[in-house]
Each structure stands twice: as structure tokens, then as C-alpha cells.
Amino acid sequence: AFGVGAFIGVNAAGRMADGQLRQGLVLAMWALPVGWAVLAMTSTQTVTLFIVAVVQGGLSFGIGLTLVNRVMHVAADAPSLNGSFATVALNAGAFLGPLLAGAATGATGDYRDAAWVSAALAATAIAVTAASRLSAARGEREGSTVPRRSAL
């Protein structure tokens, strides 16, 4: 189910992504931790688990594709590095997420803790994005002469 959602998310994001952090992406980022929490709370119900897994797959991979696109756009002046940065960021998340989820599940014995870790990591991504946008806005208000292309 997660894979079906991932296919739908990549397909939809690929058709709509333009390298900008648009309202749809922001809404999807806010929905992601909520979805992981719903998954953790309803994982014993088969139909709900299937539906939430499809939605989470779509959100996760749609957001991921759009953020990789954003890294490529922000680092356009360094074409030999932009793909590297996007790959490193994606692989860091692909390594750390399961590592932390496995540690939590191993410590508690409750498989639902993996979804709670995912919710916490997604919420952390929202906080980092908000801080980056606030920093960029502050720099623009203060008349910074340094280009602020790096802000999400």
C-alpha cells in the first residue's frame, strides 16, 4: 500500500513541482506528521492501516521529490554539487529514520513507536523549514546584500 502511494505521490509531484515551496507542499508537510500519528493510533485496524499507508506513501514521496527538486534549484549555480547535496540529504534521512524507529521499537517492543518516530521527524522538518523561512524573511527586511536563495 505504501508503494502504491509512493508511486502516486512521485507522479503527482513530478507533474506539479516547480522548484518552489508552494502552499500545497506546506500543507502536505503539515499533514505528514498527523498521518504518522493516525497510523500509530489505528494500525490495528486493517482497512484504516491500508488507507493511511497509501496516503503516507504519497505524501512522503511527493514531498521528498519536491524537496530534492528544491535543492537542485537552490544550488543551480553549483551544478556538480546540487545532485550530490540532494542525494546526501535523501540518504541521510533514509538511514537515520529507520535507525531511530528501530531503536525506539527495540527499546519498547511496540511496533507503533516507529510511526511515532516518523511523526516526530516530520514535525522536526516543519520546524526547520519554518526557521529557515523566518531567517530569510528577516534577512530581506534588514536589507541584506547576500542573496537569500538558500531559504526553503
Side-chain angles (χ1 to χ4, degrees), residues 98-126:
L99 179 71
L100 295 172
T105 301
T108 65
D110 188 351
Y111 66 90
R112 293 173 293 189
D113 287 338
W116 287 117
V117 168
S118 296
L121 291 172
T124 301
I126 292 169

Side-chain angles (χ1 to χ4, degrees), residues 76-137:
D77 293 339
S80 61
L81 291 177
N82 65 11
S84 300
F85 287 137
T87 301
V88 167
L90 186 67
N91 285 333
F95 170 76
L96 290 174
L99 179 71
L100 295 172
T105 301
T108 65
D110 188 351
Y111 66 90
R112 293 173 293 189
D113 287 338
W116 287 117
V117 168
S118 296
L121 291 172
T124 301
I126 292 169
V128 169
T129 301
S132 176
R133 291 179 62 101
L134 286 172
S135 176

